[in-house]
Amino acid sequence: MRTIEELARPEVLRWENYQVQPVTGCKMDANESSFPLPESVLQAAIEWLKHEDLRIYPDTDCLELRKAIAGRYGLSVHEIICTVGSDQLIDYLSKAFLSEGDRIVVPRPSFSMYALSAEINHGSAVPFELTEDLRYPVDQILEICRQNRPKILYLCNPNNPTGGVIPEEDLRRLIEGTDAIVALDEAYAEFAGFDHAEWTKEYPRLIVLKTFSKAYGLAGLRIGYGIAQAPLIRVLDKVRAPYNLGTFPQILAREALKCPEYAERIRITAAERDRIYAALAPYAGRNGFMIYPSRANFLYMRTGSAGIEEYMLARGLSVRFYGDAAGTIRATVGRPRQNDALIEALRAWVTVQAADDKE
Ligand SMILES: *Cc1c(COP(=O)(O)O)cnc(C)c1O
């Protein structure tokens, strides 16, 4: 008899499960929305549950939702694919484009799912490091692509966890300078006030990845989508699981697209982000503290010491910790009072606590 260990793929046995940090107190770790479900979306959800039937399989093609998304961008339904979060879209990109041993090129630091998904699907990831001031090193990326001939180049704009954006001329150089699929992850683009869905008309190898998990505050429903020219979408559709997206997520996503309240919420979140940055930027350079400009709904900081984790958790602030000696954290923008608490805690850390540490 063969054991589970003998039957499993050897590399799978070596992998760690995706770890989610335990949360205590104020949840500022996962870039979720701090706003409740809008009343109109909640009402539509309740009405739908009262009158519709969950015994029936969902529309396997998500046609109405794709129409709604396509309508918003002035595109056709053939240029949209809907998935269970953009995580599933990343998985489909790996499944559809990677054969055994194929490579992808990914930024570092950035979203861990790109590399993870490539490895699960028998490929491998070649990382490039962001520059000292956290920009994408265009020439170096193009050189890495020339050497490695990746099937997919991932770009995250604004980049998670650093919050910076790729200037448009750099973006064009990256798309035009490679012959890979360019997967442009714009999960946070609403907070930056742009999106590059339009660019897919010009570039047949470009796919823009979008999600309802962040600006639309629907992370719990797992809804993502991709925008690309029809031939690219058709390839992805071949590896898509039937009925991948449930009826309820499809209905709520359509309702969310109709809801006018999100624009104001996005504006408030961006203003709060800028307020946190302005409050903490004067401390840059003190006791190893550094904060970086962000166009997303989070801020990336170096706090000078690994002790930051215990310190923040003791104050009920669950930000994302990276556990490094530089005390790197990523804090999601929350409600104004949570942001006040974040600012106060970090001010005290930089001016008092960090100084104590160094004695
Ligand atoms: C949160 C996030 C996503 C969205 O993931 P979902 O699976 O749609 O929840 C995608 N890309 C990045 C960079 C993210 O941070």
Side-chain angles (χ1 to χ4, degrees):
M1 290 290 278
R2 285 182 292 179
T3 63
I4 300 296
E5 284 69 25
E6 285 162 345
L7 290 162
R9 286 166 58 190
E11 66 274 27
V12 168
L13 295 175
R14 288 195 299 271
W15 290 339
E16 300 279 341
N17 283 71
Y18 188 87
Q19 295 292 329
V20 177
Q21 193 177 286
V23 173
T24 51
C26 194
K27 194 171 187 327
M28 304 172 92
D29 66 323
N31 302 340
E32 290 135 334
S33 171
S34 61
F35 292 91
L37 196 62
E39 193 57 30
S40 66
V41 181
L42 177 64
Q43 284 312 320
I46 292 169
E47 282 311 303
W48 186 87
L49 278 172
K50 277 187 195 158
H51 302 295
E52 299 298 327
D53 200 341
L54 285 171
R55 288 176 310 133
I56 309 299
Y57 276 102
D59 169 16
T60 189
D61 294 319
C62 299
L63 195 57
E64 292 305 317
L65 176 56
R66 283 164 60 222
K67 272 187 197 161
I69 294 166
R72 149 169 289 221
Y73 292 107
L75 298 169
S76 97
V77 289
H78 307 294
E79 293 163 301
I80 311 291
I81 182 171
C82 291
T83 52
V84 177
S86 23
D87 284 358
Q88 190 179 51
L89 181 53
I90 293 165
D91 185 52
Y92 288 173
L93 280 163
S94 303
K95 284 193 159 72
F97 289 100
L98 302 185
S99 299
E100 178 96 41
D102 277 347
R103 292 175 181 171
I104 68 168
V105 167
V106 299
R108 191 159 73 190
S110 191
F111 197 41
S112 60
M113 286 308 298
Y114 312 141
L116 206 65
S117 156
E119 284 162 19
I120 287 176
N121 291 291
H122 309 273
S124 66
V126 181
F128 62 83
E129 304 285 338
L130 300 198
T131 61
E132 188 68 26
D133 54 351
L134 305 181
R135 284 175 300 108
Y136 275 53
V138 180
D139 292 321
Q140 197 192 329
I141 299 168
L142 292 174
E143 184 51 35
I144 288 175
C145 288
R146 262 191 296 277
Q147 284 172 13
N148 289 279
R149 295 299 309 275
K151 285 287 191 72
I152 309 170
L153 165 64
Y154 277 95
L155 307 172
C156 188
N157 191 39
N159 190 58
N160 175 13
T162 51
V165 304
I166 307 169
E168 290 201 334
E169 64 270 28
D170 288 356
L171 207 47
R172 282 201 192 277
R173 282 186 61 211
L174 288 167
I175 300 168
E176 292 171 7
T178 58
D179 60 1
I181 298 291
V182 176
L184 180 61
D185 187 343
E186 298 206 326
Y188 301 97
E190 286 88 349
F191 303 107
F194 61 64
D195 78 67
H196 293 95
E198 279 272 316
W199 285 27
T200 60
K201 289 184 180 162
E202 215 178 318
Y203 299 114
R205 286 177 292 101
L206 175 65
I207 178 163
V208 177
L209 279 57
K210 297 289 298 178
T211 179
F212 283 86
S213 296
K214 307 290 158 56
Y216 284 95
L218 294 176
L221 285 176
R222 315 294 303 118
I223 313 153
Y225 59 98
I227 305 164
Q229 290 185 15
L232 203 169
I233 295 292
R234 272 202 299 275
V235 172
L236 290 172
D237 226 28
K238 288 179 192 291
V239 300
R240 189 171 61 85
Y243 310 116
N244 63 324
L245 192 56
T247 315
F248 201 54
Q250 292 187 38
I251 295 291
L252 265 72
R254 280 166 59 197
E255 220 34 67
L257 284 174
K258 281 190 261 174
C259 174
E261 280 174 51
Y262 287 105
E264 177 69 359
R265 292 172 171 209
I266 289 163
R267 198 192 58 71
I268 291 169
T269 303
E272 280 293 297
R273 170 198 68 207
D274 295 343
R275 181 172 75 86
I276 299 168
Y277 179 81
L280 294 174
Y283 297 91
R286 275 171 75 172
N287 293 319
F289 180 78
M290 196 62 203
I291 183 164
Y292 299 89
S294 168
R295 301 277 300 277
N297 67 337
F298 53 81
L299 288 145
Y300 189 68
M301 294 169 252
R302 300 203 202 283
T303 62
S305 146
I308 189 69
E309 178 158 352
E310 202 186 334
Y311 173 87
M312 293 296 271
L313 292 177
R315 278 154 189 77
L317 296 166
S318 271
V319 299
R320 175 70 189 269
F321 303 103
Y322 293 90
D324 58 348
T328 306
I329 61 170
R330 184 197 65 197
T332 306
V333 176
R335 310 297 302 153
R337 288 175 73 175
Q338 299 174 338
N339 301 334
D340 290 343
L342 177 81
I343 292 167
E344 276 324 303
L346 286 170
R347 267 188 186 146
W349 166 266
V350 175
T351 52
V352 185
Q353 178 89 11
D356 290 350
D357 269 10
K358 303 240 153 47
E359 278 165 10

